[in-house]
Amino acid sequence: MLVDKFILPECKVYMCGHSLGPSLKTTSDAVCSTLQDFASYGVSSWNKSGWIDLSYALGAKIAALVGAKFDEVIVCDSTVLNLFKALKVAMSLQNGRNIILTTDDNFPADLYIAQGISEVKYIKSNEIYKNIDETVAVLMLTHVNYRDSSVLDMKTINEYAHKYGVLTVWDLSHSIGIVPVDLEESSTDFAVGCTYKYLSGGPGSPAFIYANRMYHEHMQSPIQGWIGHNQPFSFEKEYTSFGVRKFMSGTPAILSMKALEAALEIFDKEVIVKSYSIAKEYSNILIKSLKSHGIEVYAPQNRGGHVAFMHKHGYAFSRALIDAGFICDYRAPDLIRLCVNPLYISLRNIESCIEQIQFIMERSLYLKPEYNQMQKVT
Amino acid sequence: MLVDKFILPECKVYMCGHSLGPSLKTTSDAVCSTLQDFASYGVSSWNKSGWIDLSYALGAKIAALVGAKFDEVIVCDSTVLNLFKALKVAMSLQNGRNIILTTDDNFPADLYIAQGISEVKYIKSNEIYKNIDETVAVLMLTHVNYRDSSVLDMKTINEYAHKYGVLTVWDLSHSIGIVPVDLEESSTDFAVGCTYKYLSGGPGSPAFIYANRMYHEHMQSPIQGWIGHNQPFSFEKEYTSFGVRKFMSGTPAILSMKALEAALEIFDKEVIVKSYSIAKEYSNILIKSLKSHGIEVYAPQNRGGHVAFMHKHGYAFSRALIDAGFICDYRAPDLIRLCVNPLYISLRNIESCIEQIQFIMERSLYLKPEYNQMQKVT
């Protein structure tokens, strides 16, 4: 049972894996043993413990999960930084075009990065095809929407974009670990993603970046990091790099990398396919029940690993749920998100959660003043 | 005794703090307790354990070490990424000028970043003043040279640069924690630095970035990270940010941040001033002795926390020294570097090291084949 591999908060149902996945039982040992290596061998651990190869080793593991070749993915930096790099590179390959096309319901973090790079054109999610033309440089999309959990069809969109010479950059942050993805089969150009959500890599675990091999030769990273140099310890004056290592920047955060390495042990393609299938069942049950209570709920046909519903006292509602032992999260202005990852959420948990939601509504618990005090992180 | 705060590799003399400082005894507990928070509270720890404020809290601690105001420094990302951000911002404030002036013996990692941003003009370290003029946008310098350990005069250089409207970006990676720095007193514009060398933050611990308050209002980061947004959890469509938080990018690597937090506990300005004074004494002894053995050694008048000497079998020489218990490092093509940080190096250690160097030379131990097998990280 994979659930036995996790440490779950006592007396709590952890429905927040779409934000920060729970710890694996092996995480602590992996990090502590790295701290031991650091204490015992100091700088020698870079060779002795293979720290120098971690970005590539973890990249290869992620590649196997998303249908990429082992040398098309590396693990480094944050999703924000990797998206910056991927967008800059994709834009640089599109001489004469300067529009980044994206959906207006895309994750704001992704929009901020795009806004800092070039002209951004916002469209509705259901109007992607009709807005793709030769003026567009890059189509930047999120595979699973952070609000409504809807899943876009990567393969069909990529093929359509390529007809017009448009390059695609996908954010897989809410997909990786729960929704099957095949980057090769879907002819994806570039992708990035987070590892602390469904992959349970730990708080601030490093992100990944994917570049299709066809771009490796001609792409040039905007951030020429020494550790991505062909010979990082030759200290040559000129910068040369190859392949996806062009996206390496500075020294990787080894402790955070090691927590992720431990978490990745439990994942393979089969685990993800199975999780996705059960998550869909759970979502159906949850959505049906919420609707029957008159709650406004997002119910797109293709869904990721969470279910979101709306309530005008959204923040206070989420606090009341958390207080009752159901760890969920809130997204401004009115959304409550519940993760249904079957790796650690059971059908019984879903049923209890529904009962609790009903209870909160019946007694209007969201009106309690203590639930209306906004915390820093929501 | 501060030496009791460190864990030092058994039977070894750790003369490599200029590359990766040794672990503090408290590091492991700090990280393990964070892993415990993660396991027990999951996503709730962002509020409960104050993770969301770590970049600013650690920034304020570093600010106090380098004579900056508490809100002029944040801790995030790597030195490479922070240098990229600082250079891009400084260049954007210098309309019409496009030259980054730097020394040809600057750390190659810094040169790579600059090369990726604009036109770079390389000059000799002793010809800085005569190359500063109105054509230069930014003067990018390293305070302590990674090879010869020479220290530049920040105050005089900054003042001279400002006469010509040139902005300065300093890399303090080899200074912070060992060489006193005062950013306010020296009128520094921007600075970045590493925390895993003399500050002992652990492998890949996050770097810091400093921006003088006078630029906070008008600067705009090239990487608009969501976590630097004025209201990161409002999920507004437009990006707004203020102050040094403009340099925040993605979710910080919490485990690595916590290791650094533990290490910073032992540092204050007084510790650094005292360390520097003893390090200079140790350097004098080491340099005098190496010279007396006919070894070619860098001996600039103002030195940082390491001493470097040359040998035509440099790499093999460093391996022979390490094998004998003196952990040092090698920099291509012929340099051996020895850290003399008095926080954990004693006068007796220095004397033993000299004896060992003499022994290696007398027996030409650097000719042994096993020492000539190059490892990945040097």
Side-chain angles (χ1 to χ4, degrees):
Chain A
M1 287 286 284
L2 282 180
V3 67
D4 297 333
K5 306 259 182 191
F6 291 88
I7 309 179
L8 295 163
E10 253 180 86
C11 310
K12 306 274 182 193
V13 181
Y14 198 77
M15 303 184 80
C16 213
H18 56 277
S19 181
L20 177 66
S23 180
L24 272 290
K25 284 183 180 158
T26 49
T27 305
S28 197
D29 279 357
V31 176
C32 292
S33 121
T34 302
L35 285 161
Q36 189 58 55
D37 286 351
F38 168 41
S40 302
Y41 310 115
V43 72
S44 315
S45 283
W46 279 103
N47 286 312
K48 227 186 264 277
S49 310
W51 294 347
I52 194 68
D53 296 317
L54 261 183
S55 285
Y56 305 102
L58 300 188
K61 284 187 183 182
I62 301 251
L65 300 182
V66 294
K69 299 187 187 80
F70 77 95
D71 62 351
E72 289 179 320
V73 180
I74 50 163
V75 168
C76 63
D77 304 327
S78 61
T79 311
V80 157
L81 291 164
N82 287 340
L83 183 62
F84 175 82
K85 290 181 271 184
L87 277 180
K88 287 289 273 188
V89 159
M91 291 300 286
S92 74
L93 295 169
Q94 295 287 61
N95 285 334
R97 301 188 187 192
N98 69 338
I99 293 173
I100 299 175
L101 188 69
T102 191
T103 58
D104 57 9
D105 62 350
N106 198 346
F107 195 51
D110 293 19
L111 301 182
Y112 302 152
I113 290 297
Q115 288 162 12
I117 289 177
S118 196
E119 185 186 336
V120 182
K121 186 177 168 187
Y122 303 95
I123 52 168
K124 300 272 165 222
S125 281
N126 59 1
E127 296 185 342
I128 293 172
Y129 296 103
K130 74 177 189 195
N131 282 286
I132 291 174
D133 60 34
E134 280 88 357
T135 66
V136 176
V138 171
L139 177 61
M140 173 184 84
L141 294 171
T142 293
H143 186 218
V144 176
N145 186 281
Y146 82 106
R147 289 177 58 84
D148 64 15
S149 198
S150 61
V151 181
L152 294 176
D153 179 348
M154 292 181 72
K155 187 174 158 68
T156 313
I157 293 174
N158 283 333
E159 283 169 2
Y160 194 84
H162 292 160
K163 276 192 200 161
Y164 295 86
V166 174
L167 293 178
T168 56
V169 177
W170 288 89
D171 184 342
L172 305 176
S173 292
H174 288 85
S175 322
I176 181 94
I178 187 82
V179 179
V181 169
D182 196 311
L183 297 175
E184 181 160 2
E185 201 257 340
S186 64
S187 307
T188 295
D189 299 314
F190 297 94
V192 301
C194 162
T195 66
Y196 51 73
K197 299 182 191 288
Y198 293 98
L199 290 183
S200 276
S205 63
F208 65 90
I209 181 165
Y210 156 88
N212 192 305
R213 265 194 200 165
M214 76 175 88
Y215 304 113
H216 285 195
E217 193 180 337
H218 297 294
M219 68 190 196
Q220 198 181 351
S221 174
I223 304 174
Q224 297 185 157
W226 72 278
I227 211 161
H229 192 285
N230 280 340
Q231 302 286 338
F233 293 92
S234 303
F235 293 92
E236 291 164 2
K237 201 168 163 187
E238 297 306 318
Y239 191 75
T240 56
S241 183
F242 66 92
V244 77
R245 73 184 295 151
K246 289 179 182 174
F247 288 123
M248 286 292 286
S249 54
T251 309
I254 295 301
L255 301 179
S256 297
M257 300 277 279
K258 281 287 178 179
L260 172 60
E261 188 180 43
L264 285 177
E265 285 298 314
I266 66 160
F267 290 93
D268 59 30
K269 273 195 144 180
E270 205 181 331
V271 163
I272 294 172
V273 167
K274 203 169 161 194
S275 295
Y276 190 46
S277 153
I278 304 173
K280 276 195 284 193
E281 271 177 52
Y282 287 0
S283 295
N284 286 338
I285 293 165
L286 191 53
I287 288 168
K288 200 172 156 193
S289 169
L290 289 170
K291 277 185 173 171
S292 77
H293 289 103
I295 291 177
E296 196 182 346
V297 53
Y298 281 123
Q301 203 180 3
N302 293 313
R303 281 187 302 277
H306 75 273
V307 168
F309 67 96
M310 273 151 284
H311 194 276
K312 71 172 179 172
H313 298 280
Y315 179 67
F317 202 117
S318 74
R319 293 288 301 281
L321 253 180
I322 293 167
D323 209 23
F326 297 87
I327 301 181
C328 59
D329 75 359
Y330 158 80
R331 283 292 169 258
D334 59 2
L335 212 69
I336 295 116
R337 300 190 301 176
L338 299 165
C339 174
V340 295
N341 191 343
L343 289 180
Y344 42 83
I345 296 295
S346 67
L347 185 55
R348 181 71 204 107
N349 292 152
I350 304 273
E351 288 162 355
S352 315
C353 180
I354 292 166
E355 284 162 25
Q356 190 59 43
I357 288 171
Q358 195 176 355
F359 185 81
I360 291 169
M361 286 179 64
E362 280 165 6
R363 310 196 178 201
S364 304
L365 294 183
Y366 41 78
L367 296 179
K368 278 195 179 179
E370 65 261 41
Y371 297 149
N372 284 275
Q373 284 280 73
M374 202 87 167
Q375 290 183 303
K376 236 178 192 174
V377 177
T378 66
Chain B
M1 285 287 285
L2 283 179
V3 67
D4 297 333
K5 306 261 183 189
F6 291 88
I7 309 178
L8 295 163
E10 252 180 85
C11 310
K12 306 275 181 192
V13 181
Y14 198 77
M15 303 183 80
C16 213
H18 57 276
S19 180
L20 177 65
S23 180
L24 271 290
K25 284 184 180 157
T26 49
T27 305
S28 197
D29 279 356
V31 176
C32 293
S33 121
T34 302
L35 286 161
Q36 189 58 54
D37 287 351
F38 168 41
S40 303
Y41 310 115
V43 71
S44 316
S45 284
W46 278 102
N47 286 311
K48 228 187 263 279
S49 311
W51 294 348
I52 195 66
D53 296 317
L54 261 182
S55 286
Y56 305 103
L58 299 188
K61 284 187 184 183
I62 302 251
L65 299 182
V66 294
K69 298 187 187 80
F70 76 96
D71 62 351
E72 290 181 320
V73 179
I74 50 163
V75 168
C76 63
D77 303 327
S78 61
T79 312
V80 156
L81 291 164
N82 288 340
L83 183 61
F84 175 82
K85 291 181 272 184
L87 277 180
K88 286 289 273 187
V89 160
M91 291 301 287
S92 75
L93 296 169
Q94 294 287 60
N95 287 333
R97 301 189 187 191
N98 69 339
I99 293 173
I100 299 174
L101 187 69
T102 191
T103 57
D104 58 8
D105 63 350
N106 199 345
F107 196 50
D110 294 18
L111 301 182
Y112 302 152
I113 290 297
Q115 287 162 12
I117 289 177
S118 195
E119 184 185 336
V120 182
K121 184 176 169 188
Y122 303 94
I123 52 168
K124 299 272 165 222
S125 281
N126 59 2
E127 295 185 343
I128 292 172
Y129 296 102
K130 73 177 189 195
N131 283 285
I132 291 173
D133 59 35
E134 281 87 356
T135 66
V136 176
V138 171
L139 177 61
M140 174 184 83
L141 294 172
T142 294
H143 186 217
V144 176
N145 187 281
Y146 82 106
R147 288 177 58 84
D148 65 16
S149 198
S150 60
V151 181
L152 293 177
D153 178 348
M154 293 181 72
K155 187 173 160 65
T156 314
I157 293 175
N158 283 332
E159 283 169 1
Y160 194 84
H162 292 159
K163 277 191 200 161
Y164 295 86
V166 174
L167 292 178
T168 54
V169 177
W170 288 89
D171 184 341
L172 306 176
S173 292
H174 288 86
S175 320
I176 180 95
I178 187 83
V179 179
V181 169
D182 195 310
L183 297 176
E184 181 161 3
E185 201 256 341
S186 64
S187 307
T188 295
D189 298 313
F190 298 94
V192 300
C194 161
T195 66
Y196 52 72
K197 299 182 192 288
Y198 293 98
L199 290 182
S200 277
S205 63
F208 65 90
I209 180 165
Y210 156 88
N212 192 306
R213 266 193 197 164
M214 76 175 87
Y215 304 113
H216 286 195
E217 193 179 337
H218 297 295
M219 68 189 195
Q220 198 182 352
S221 173
I223 304 173
Q224 298 186 157
W226 72 278
I227 211 160
H229 192 285
N230 279 340
Q231 301 286 339
F233 293 92
S234 304
F235 293 94
E236 293 163 1
K237 202 168 163 186
E238 296 306 318
Y239 191 75
T240 55
S241 183
F242 65 92
V244 77
R245 72 185 293 150
K246 290 179 181 173
F247 288 124
M248 285 293 285
S249 54
T251 309
I254 297 299
L255 301 179
S256 297
M257 300 277 278
K258 281 289 180 179
L260 172 60
E261 188 180 43
L264 286 178
E265 286 298 315
I266 67 160
F267 289 94
D268 59 29
K269 273 196 143 179
E270 205 183 329
V271 164
I272 294 172
V273 167
K274 203 168 161 194
S275 294
Y276 190 47
S277 152
I278 304 174
K280 278 195 284 191
E281 271 177 52
Y282 287 1
S283 296
N284 286 339
I285 293 166
L286 191 52
I287 289 168
K288 199 173 157 193
S289 169
L290 288 169
K291 279 184 172 172
S292 77
H293 289 104
I295 292 177
E296 196 182 346
V297 54
Y298 281 122
Q301 203 179 2
N302 294 312
R303 281 185 303 277
H306 75 272
V307 168
F309 67 95
M310 275 151 283
H311 194 275
K312 73 172 178 172
H313 297 278
Y315 179 68
F317 203 115
S318 74
R319 293 287 301 281
L321 253 179
I322 293 168
D323 209 24
F326 297 87
I327 302 182
C328 59
D329 76 358
Y330 159 81
R331 285 292 169 259
D334 58 2
L335 212 69
I336 296 115
R337 299 189 301 176
L338 298 165
C339 175
V340 295
N341 191 342
L343 289 181
Y344 43 83
I345 296 295
S346 67
L347 186 56
R348 181 72 202 108
N349 291 153
I350 305 272
E351 287 163 354
S352 314
C353 180
I354 293 165
E355 284 163 24
Q356 190 58 45
I357 288 170
Q358 194 177 357
F359 184 79
I360 291 169
M361 287 179 62
E362 278 166 9
R363 307 193 183 203
S364 304
L365 293 183
Y366 42 77
L367 296 178
K368 279 194 178 181
E370 65 262 42
Y371 297 148
N372 284 276
Q373 284 281 72
M374 203 87 167
Q375 290 182 305
K376 236 178 193 175
V377 178
T378 65

